[in-house]
Amino acid sequence: MTESDGERRPAGELEASVLAALWSAGNPMSAAQVRAAIPQPLARTTVATLLIRLHEKGVVGRSPAARGFLYFPVADSHGLTARRMHQELDQDHDRSTVLARFVEGLGPDDEAELRRLLEGGGQ
């Protein structure tokens, strides 16, 4: 076995490929369709496992189909990033301090954008 044969790809990289395929499709996809749409040559069972894990995390939804399920993203990439930020915030009992530290780390442009959004500027 060569070194590259034994290397494992990070799960995050594979999940990102699956999500990218679902986002670009614009409609629900079966595991086989996702497998055909991603650049990595993965086994059908690997893709199915990734989709199940993403469903368990609440990142993709699914609906019954003739054979198995059709999967779809529950949010766009920006929505998923916001969701991860909320999950991190929810893990600490002192939300105020976490938010204060987050704001302290913002650059001037991000701080101005956050202020604009908080004042009702919307997107």
Coordinates of all heavy atoms in Angstrom, one line a residue, residues 13-55:
E13 N -13.9 17.7 5.2 CA -13.7 17.9 3.8 C -14.7 17.1 3.0 O -15.3 17.6 2.0 CB -12.3 17.4 3.4 CG -12.0 17.4 1.9 CD -10.7 16.8 1.5 OE1 -9.7 16.9 2.3 OE2 -10.6 16.1 0.5
L14 N -15.0 15.9 3.4 CA -16.0 15.1 2.6 C -17.4 15.6 2.8 O -18.2 15.7 1.9 CB -15.9 13.6 3.1 CG -14.6 12.9 2.9 CD1 -14.7 11.5 3.5 CD2 -14.3 12.9 1.4
E15 N -17.7 16.1 4.1 CA -19.0 16.7 4.3 C -19.2 17.9 3.5 O -20.3 18.2 3.0 CB -19.2 17.0 5.8 CG -19.4 15.7 6.7 CD -19.5 16.0 8.1 OE1 -19.4 17.2 8.6 OE2 -19.8 15.0 8.9
A16 N -18.1 18.7 3.4 CA -18.2 20.0 2.6 C -18.5 19.6 1.1 O -19.2 20.3 0.5 CB -16.9 20.7 2.7
S17 N -17.9 18.6 0.6 CA -18.1 18.2 -0.8 C -19.6 17.8 -1.0 O -20.2 18.1 -2.0 CB -17.2 17.0 -1.2 OG -15.9 17.5 -1.3
V18 N -20.1 17.0 0.0 CA -21.5 16.6 -0.1 C -22.4 17.8 0.0 O -23.4 17.9 -0.8 CB -21.8 15.6 1.1 CG1 -23.3 15.4 1.2 CG2 -21.1 14.3 0.8
L19 N -22.2 18.7 0.9 CA -23.0 19.9 1.0 C -22.9 20.8 -0.3 O -23.9 21.3 -0.8 CB -22.6 20.7 2.2 CG -23.1 20.2 3.5 CD1 -22.4 20.9 4.7 CD2 -24.6 20.2 3.6
A20 N -21.7 20.9 -0.8 CA -21.5 21.7 -2.1 C -22.4 21.0 -3.2 O -23.0 21.8 -4.0 CB -20.1 21.7 -2.5
A21 N -22.4 19.7 -3.3 CA -23.2 19.0 -4.3 C -24.6 19.3 -4.1 O -25.4 19.6 -5.1 CB -22.9 17.5 -4.3
L22 N -25.1 19.2 -2.9 CA -26.5 19.5 -2.6 C -26.9 20.9 -2.9 O -28.0 21.2 -3.5 CB -26.9 19.1 -1.1 CG -26.8 17.6 -0.8 CD1 -26.9 17.4 0.7 CD2 -27.9 16.9 -1.5
W23 N -26.1 21.9 -2.5 CA -26.3 23.3 -2.8 C -26.4 23.6 -4.3 O -27.3 24.3 -4.8 CB -25.3 24.2 -2.1 CG -25.5 24.3 -0.7 CD1 -26.6 24.4 0.1 CD2 -24.4 24.4 0.3 NE1 -26.4 24.5 1.4 CE2 -25.0 24.5 1.6 CE3 -23.0 24.4 0.2 CZ2 -24.3 24.6 2.8 CZ3 -22.3 24.5 1.4 CH2 -22.9 24.6 2.6
S24 N -25.4 23.0 -5.0 CA -25.4 23.3 -6.5 C -26.5 22.6 -7.2 O -27.0 23.1 -8.3 CB -24.0 22.9 -7.0 OG -23.9 21.5 -7.0
A25 N -27.0 21.5 -6.7 CA -28.1 20.8 -7.4 C -29.4 21.6 -7.4 O -30.2 21.6 -8.3 CB -28.3 19.4 -6.8
G26 N -29.7 22.2 -6.2 CA -30.9 23.0 -6.1 C -32.2 22.2 -6.0 O -33.3 22.8 -5.9
N27 N -32.0 20.9 -5.9 CA -33.2 20.0 -5.6 C -32.7 18.8 -4.8 O -31.5 18.5 -4.8 CB -33.9 19.6 -6.9 CG -32.9 18.9 -7.9 OD1 -32.0 19.6 -8.4 ND2 -33.1 17.6 -8.1
P28 N -33.6 18.1 -4.1 CA -33.2 17.0 -3.3 C -32.5 15.9 -4.2 O -32.8 15.7 -5.4 CB -34.5 16.4 -2.8 CG -35.4 17.6 -2.7 CD -35.0 18.4 -4.0
M29 N -31.5 15.2 -3.6 CA -30.7 14.2 -4.3 C -30.7 12.9 -3.5 O -30.6 12.9 -2.3 CB -29.3 14.7 -4.5 CG -29.2 16.0 -5.4 SD -27.5 16.6 -5.4 CE -26.7 15.4 -6.5
S30 N -30.6 11.8 -4.2 CA -30.3 10.5 -3.6 C -28.8 10.4 -3.3 O -28.0 11.2 -3.8 CB -30.7 9.4 -4.5 OG -29.9 9.4 -5.6
A31 N -28.5 9.4 -2.5 CA -27.1 9.2 -2.2 C -26.3 8.9 -3.4 O -25.2 9.3 -3.6 CB -27.0 8.0 -1.2
A32 N -26.9 8.1 -4.4 CA -26.2 7.8 -5.6 C -26.0 9.1 -6.4 O -24.9 9.2 -7.1 CB -27.1 6.8 -6.4
Q33 N -26.9 10.0 -6.4 CA -26.8 11.3 -7.2 C -25.7 12.1 -6.6 O -24.9 12.7 -7.3 CB -28.1 12.0 -7.3 CG -29.1 11.4 -8.1 CD -30.5 12.0 -8.0 OE1 -30.9 12.3 -6.9 NE2 -31.2 12.1 -9.1
V34 N -25.7 12.1 -5.2 CA -24.6 12.9 -4.5 C -23.3 12.3 -4.9 O -22.3 13.0 -5.2 CB -24.9 12.9 -3.0 CG1 -23.7 13.5 -2.3 CG2 -26.1 13.7 -2.7
R35 N -23.2 11.0 -4.8 CA -21.9 10.3 -5.1 C -21.4 10.7 -6.5 O -20.2 10.9 -6.6 CB -22.1 8.8 -5.0 CG -20.9 8.0 -5.3 CD -21.2 6.5 -5.2 NE -20.0 5.7 -5.5 CZ -20.1 4.5 -6.1 NH1 -21.2 4.0 -6.4 NH2 -19.0 3.9 -6.3
A36 N -22.3 10.7 -7.4 CA -21.9 11.1 -8.8 C -21.5 12.5 -8.9 O -20.7 12.9 -9.8 CB -23.0 10.8 -9.8
A37 N -22.0 13.4 -8.1 CA -21.7 14.8 -8.2 C -20.5 15.3 -7.4 O -20.0 16.4 -7.7 CB -22.9 15.6 -7.7
I38 N -19.9 14.5 -6.5 CA -18.8 14.9 -5.8 C -17.5 14.5 -6.5 O -17.5 13.5 -7.2 CB -18.8 14.5 -4.3 CG1 -18.8 12.9 -4.2 CG2 -20.0 15.0 -3.6 CD1 -18.7 12.4 -2.8
P39 N -16.4 15.3 -6.3 CA -15.1 14.9 -7.0 C -14.4 13.7 -6.4 O -13.7 13.1 -7.2 CB -14.3 16.2 -6.8 CG -14.8 16.9 -5.6 CD -16.3 16.5 -5.5
Q40 N -14.6 13.4 -5.2 CA -13.9 12.3 -4.6 C -14.5 10.9 -5.0 O -15.7 10.8 -5.0 CB -13.9 12.3 -3.0 CG -13.3 13.5 -2.5 CD -14.2 14.7 -2.2 OE1 -15.3 14.8 -2.9 NE2 -13.9 15.6 -1.3
P41 N -13.7 10.0 -5.3 CA -14.2 8.6 -5.6 C -14.5 7.9 -4.3 O -13.6 7.3 -3.7 CB -13.1 8.0 -6.4 CG -11.8 8.7 -5.9 CD -12.2 10.0 -5.5
L42 N -15.7 7.9 -3.9 CA -16.1 7.3 -2.6 C -17.1 6.1 -2.9 O -17.8 6.1 -3.8 CB -16.8 8.3 -1.7 CG -16.0 9.5 -1.3 CD1 -16.9 10.5 -0.5 CD2 -14.8 9.1 -0.5
A43 N -17.1 5.2 -2.0 CA -18.0 4.1 -2.0 C -19.4 4.6 -1.7 O -19.6 5.6 -1.0 CB -17.6 3.0 -1.0
R44 N -20.4 3.9 -2.2 CA -21.8 4.3 -2.0 C -22.1 4.3 -0.5 O -22.8 5.2 -0.1 CB -22.7 3.3 -2.7 CG -24.2 3.5 -2.6 CD -25.0 2.4 -3.1 NE -24.7 1.1 -2.5 CZ -25.1 0.7 -1.3 NH1 -25.8 1.4 -0.5 NH2 -24.7 -0.5 -0.9
T45 N -21.6 3.3 0.2 CA -21.9 3.3 1.6 C -21.2 4.5 2.4 O -21.8 4.9 3.4 CB -21.4 2.0 2.2 OG1 -20.0 1.8 1.9 CG2 -22.1 0.8 1.7
T46 N -20.1 4.9 1.9 CA -19.5 6.1 2.6 C -20.3 7.3 2.4 O -20.5 8.1 3.3 CB -18.1 6.3 2.0 OG1 -17.3 5.2 2.2 CG2 -17.4 7.5 2.6
V47 N -20.8 7.5 1.2 CA -21.7 8.7 0.9 C -23.0 8.6 1.7 O -23.4 9.6 2.3 CB -22.0 8.8 -0.6 CG1 -23.0 9.9 -0.9 CG2 -20.7 9.1 -1.4
A48 N -23.5 7.4 1.8 CA -24.8 7.2 2.6 C -24.5 7.5 4.0 O -25.3 8.2 4.7 CB -25.3 5.8 2.4
T49 N -23.4 7.1 4.6 CA -23.0 7.3 6.0 C -22.8 8.8 6.2 O -23.3 9.4 7.2 CB -21.7 6.6 6.3 OG1 -22.0 5.2 6.2 CG2 -21.3 6.9 7.8
L50 N -22.2 9.5 5.3 CA -22.0 11.0 5.4 C -23.4 11.7 5.4 O -23.6 12.6 6.2 CB -21.2 11.5 4.2 CG -19.7 11.2 4.3 CD1 -19.0 11.5 3.0 CD2 -19.0 12.1 5.4
L51 N -24.3 11.3 4.6 CA -25.6 11.9 4.5 C -26.4 11.6 5.8 O -27.0 12.5 6.3 CB -26.4 11.4 3.3 CG -25.9 12.0 2.0 CD1 -26.4 11.1 0.8 CD2 -26.3 13.4 1.8
I52 N -26.3 10.4 6.3 CA -26.9 10.1 7.6 C -26.4 11.0 8.7 O -27.1 11.5 9.5 CB -26.8 8.6 7.9 CG1 -27.6 7.8 6.9 CG2 -27.2 8.3 9.4 CD1 -27.3 6.3 7.0
R53 N -25.0 11.1 8.8 CA -24.4 11.9 9.8 C -24.8 13.4 9.7 O -25.1 14.1 10.7 CB -22.9 11.8 9.8 CG -22.5 10.4 10.3 CD -21.0 10.3 10.3 NE -20.6 9.0 10.8 CZ -19.4 8.5 10.6 NH1 -18.5 9.1 9.9 NH2 -19.1 7.3 11.1
L54 N -24.9 13.9 8.5 CA -25.3 15.3 8.3 C -26.8 15.4 8.7 O -27.1 16.5 9.2 CB -25.1 15.7 6.8 CG -23.6 15.9 6.4 CD1 -23.5 16.0 4.9 CD2 -23.0 17.1 7.1
H55 N -27.6 14.4 8.4 CA -29.0 14.5 8.8 C -29.1 14.5 10.3 O -29.9 15.2 10.9 CB -29.7 13.3 8.2 CG -31.2 13.3 8.6 ND1 -31.7 12.5 9.6 CD2 -32.2 14.0 8.1 CE1 -33.0 12.8 9.7 NE2 -33.3 13.7 8.8

